[in-house]
Amino acid sequence: MITEQIKQLLLGIVGAENYDDSKVECLVHSYDATPGYQAMPDAVIKPGCTAEVSDIVKVCNAYKIPIIPRGSGTNLSGGTCPMEGGLVLLFNRMNALLEIDEENLTATVQPGLITLDLISAVEAKGLFYPPDPSSMKISTIGGNINENSGGLRGLKYGVTRDYVIGLEVVLPNGDIIHTGGKLAKDVAGYDLTKLMVGSEGTLGIVTEAILKLIPTPETTKTMLALYQDLDAAAQSVAKIISNKIIPVTLEFLDRPTLAVVEDFAKIGLPTDVEAVLLIEQDGPLEVVERDMKRMADICLEEKAVSVEIAETEADAAALKTARRTALSALARLKPTTILEDATVPRSEIAKMVRAINEIAKQHDVNICTFGHAGDGNLHPTCITDARDHDEMERVELAFADIFAAAIDLGGTITGEHGVGAMKAPYLEWKLKKEGVAAMRAIKQAFDPHDIMNPGKVFAKESRKRVVVSS
């Protein structure tokens, strides 16, 4: 609870115009993009620099006030929902692109910078920042770092962690540390940079980041492969990878997803097939043409009914934009849309797709599936209504079975959305008790008062695993 005394201390740091404890402001920041999770914070605060963040944290640490760092609230695991009240930190005032260093191929940014703004700025200089979460038009770099966000280009280029090479972090006691730097090599001590990336705001607050950039690819081509058989599409993914071709993008959409995306985007997507693969490759022209031809041949060998290469950049951009709108399109169908993610080895994609469909039938729920098939990261998405309590119970059981199926296939409960509050009860399924205990020890060492985004990652108790699907 933030008493009047604590409030005055915080006002003294940021000024009255950057502190708000009104019911309206607290309500706005009581939830994120995760259905079913909402809790009121005590106040919202907007620091303007690292020193102010440090001073805020020192006050919160002294009085054991929970702190929830928040970007744009696009989180899909309840990771920015203030489950135990406290103070929500917004970074609207810390949103600068501080530097693009063309000699060292780095960008230095503040956490509130919008992801697409960074991408556009570096592309204007002939450089490339690959991480491209579907929410990139509104998500922030700080949020991407906290969740280790992925994206459509993750198969070839990796995820956010692969491009964060240095951080400025405020620790839970208010200390400011700097990790990494503009370095190609650095093995001085523990890799605290990588530890912070994906820690979901539970270990510290990122106030500045140094990001690796790469040269812009010379050429890019995109194609669409159509299938009347889900298994054939999944087998195509496995065969492309086994042929040692790593495309930039290798996305999967099933028929229900196709139908709603086309209704939303209206770009001429086929809706009379069971699945499509959206495939993109970049690099030198001769390599791209060779890879595209080989991938087209593989898709046809695996019973694709047709393979079409986008003729223009505009056509290719429309296809990728349509894929990014999948969640928005599905969200129009019913009041509640639950988009999950589970990841399996690439070789197990076909089994995982079948398992999701079988589980949906078993629990009588409507699940559409799309996702980053090339890296095994699928997004089973349930269209439902939170007011239907019976159906919501079946939805929860279905997703529990999906997580179990992913683990049984050598996968994990989340590939890019994070654990947050939603998946905390399932974490032990993946890491076992010993793994969770090791993580708790790290958390305790950094944050003994448990003020940093409490109620996330670590559930009070693990969900009992009753049904296992395969």
Side-chain angles (χ1 to χ4, degrees):
M1 178 179 177
I2 298 178
T3 64
E4 184 62 28
Q5 176 189 4
I6 297 170
K7 176 178 177 178
Q8 291 304 316
L9 291 172
L10 295 170
L11 289 174
I13 298 169
V14 299
E17 68 277 14
N18 296 308
Y19 180 94
D20 198 333
D21 56 6
S22 67
K23 288 185 178 179
V24 171
E25 190 72 4
C26 288
L27 181 62
V28 167
H29 296 93
S30 65
Y31 59 91
D32 55 24
T34 315
Y37 288 82
Q38 184 172 17
M40 292 286 281
D42 294 302
V44 176
I45 196 166
K46 301 175 182 179
C49 63
T50 300
E52 288 185 2
V53 174
S54 175
D55 289 343
I56 291 166
V57 171
K58 287 175 182 176
V59 171
C60 291
N61 191 49
Y63 292 95
K64 299 180 176 59
I65 304 296
I67 308 172
I68 303 90
R70 180 185 172 102
S72 298
T74 56
N75 185 274
L76 288 165
S77 64
T80 51
C81 180
M83 304 300 292
E84 298 184 17
L87 192 64
V88 170
L89 266 70
L90 300 182
F91 294 94
N92 311 52
R93 298 172 63 211
M94 297 177 65
N95 62 352
L97 171 51
L98 299 173
E99 178 192 45
I100 296 177
D101 184 341
E102 296 183 67
E103 291 184 350
N104 290 301
L105 295 183
T106 64
T108 303
V109 307
Q110 291 183 314
L113 181 65
I114 299 297
T115 310
L116 185 58
D117 290 347
L118 169 67
I119 291 172
S120 300
V122 300
E123 286 183 353
K125 292 185 175 292
L127 298 172
F128 188 36
Y129 178 71
D132 61 336
S134 294
S135 59
M136 65 182 182
K137 289 183 179 180
I138 55 174
S139 67
T140 65
I141 293 296
N144 295 170
I145 290 171
N146 275 356
E147 299 300 328
N148 191 23
S149 299
L152 274 65
R153 297 191 287 238
L155 170 59
K156 182 173 183 178
Y157 288 109
V159 296
T160 299
R161 176 182 285 123
D162 299 306
Y163 296 88
V164 180
I165 58 176
L167 290 173
E168 178 182 78
V169 180
V170 177
L171 297 179
N173 64 357
D175 286 352
I176 301 168
I177 64 170
H178 294 85
T179 72
K182 298 179 181 181
L183 304 165
K185 293 181 178 180
D186 181 7
V187 293
Y190 295 152
D191 192 342
L192 296 179
T193 305
K194 295 297 187 283
L195 177 62
M196 289 294 169
V197 180
S199 62
E200 304 190 36
T202 62
L203 300 179
I205 299 171
V206 173
T207 52
E208 196 172 293
I210 300 172
L211 307 174
K212 179 177 70 174
L213 307 177
I214 61 176
T216 300
E218 181 181 314
T219 307
T220 301
K221 288 197 174 184
T222 304
M223 73 179 178
L224 204 64
L226 314 183
Y227 295 83
Q228 292 295 0
D229 184 337
L230 284 171
D231 282 355
Q235 292 292 353
S236 295
V237 172
K239 191 168 182 180
I240 287 170
I241 302 300
S242 68
N243 272 263
K244 300 179 177 60
I245 302 172
I246 305 297
V248 176
T249 296
L250 184 43
E251 297 288 301
F252 169 89
L253 294 89
D254 67 3
R255 184 170 187 165
T257 309
L258 274 172
V260 296
V261 168
E262 172 56 23
D263 184 60
F264 181 75
K266 300 188 186 313
I267 63 166
L269 286 172
T271 58
D272 58 347
V273 294
E274 291 302 314
V276 303
L277 293 180
L278 173 64
I279 306 172
E280 181 181 63
Q281 184 60 299
D282 68 9
L285 179 60
E286 62 274 17
V287 174
V288 171
E289 290 183 341
R290 181 198 67 200
D291 286 352
M292 292 298 278
K293 182 182 185 305
R294 182 62 186 127
M295 288 189 288
D297 290 343
I298 289 170
C299 292
L300 292 171
E301 289 166 8
E302 293 299 322
K303 302 179 182 177
V305 295
S306 75
V307 177
E308 303 172 6
I309 296 178
E311 294 183 0
T312 67
E313 289 185 12
D315 290 340
L319 290 172
K320 289 179 283 187
T321 299
R323 160 61 185 87
R324 294 184 196 281
T325 65
L327 175 57
S328 300
L330 290 167
R332 301 191 306 160
L333 301 183
K334 280 193 173 184
T336 307
T337 304
I338 303 175
L339 187 154
E340 274 296 354
D341 80 315
T343 301
V344 295
R346 297 161 180 158
S347 60
E348 304 295 344
I349 279 285
K351 291 180 182 177
M352 190 65 206
V353 171
R354 284 197 297 269
I356 291 170
N357 292 336
E358 291 167 3
I359 289 166
K361 290 179 183 177
Q362 177 186 344
H363 293 284
D364 190 24
V365 294
N366 183 15
I367 294 180
C368 301
T369 302
F370 60 95
H372 318 303
D375 51 26
N377 183 204
L378 294 176
H379 294 311
T381 304
C382 187
I383 312 303
T384 183
D385 188 337
R387 296 167 296 185
D388 186 337
H389 298 297
D390 176 66
E391 183 169 87
M392 288 301 290
E393 287 181 8
R394 287 185 280 113
V395 169
E396 184 175 353
L397 290 172
F399 277 123
D401 278 3
I402 287 171
F403 301 150
I407 291 171
D408 287 347
L409 290 170
T412 184
I413 61 173
T414 176
E416 60 185 7
H417 291 175
V419 176
M422 174 180 274
K423 291 188 177 178
Y426 305 102
L427 185 62
E428 191 176 301
W429 292 9
K430 169 61 179 175
L431 298 183
K432 310 304 181 188
K433 290 182 179 180
E434 296 81 2
V436 174
M439 285 182 57
R440 282 188 184 277
I442 294 170
K443 166 71 168 171
Q444 176 67 20
F446 274 87
D447 184 20
H449 294 153
D450 193 24
I451 63 167
M452 297 302 304
N453 207 8
K456 312 298 163 50
V457 182
F458 304 103
K460 293 180 180 177
E461 60 181 76
S462 174
R463 187 173 297 279
K464 185 178 181 183
R465 184 168 167 176
V466 179
V467 179
V468 178
S469 299
S470 60

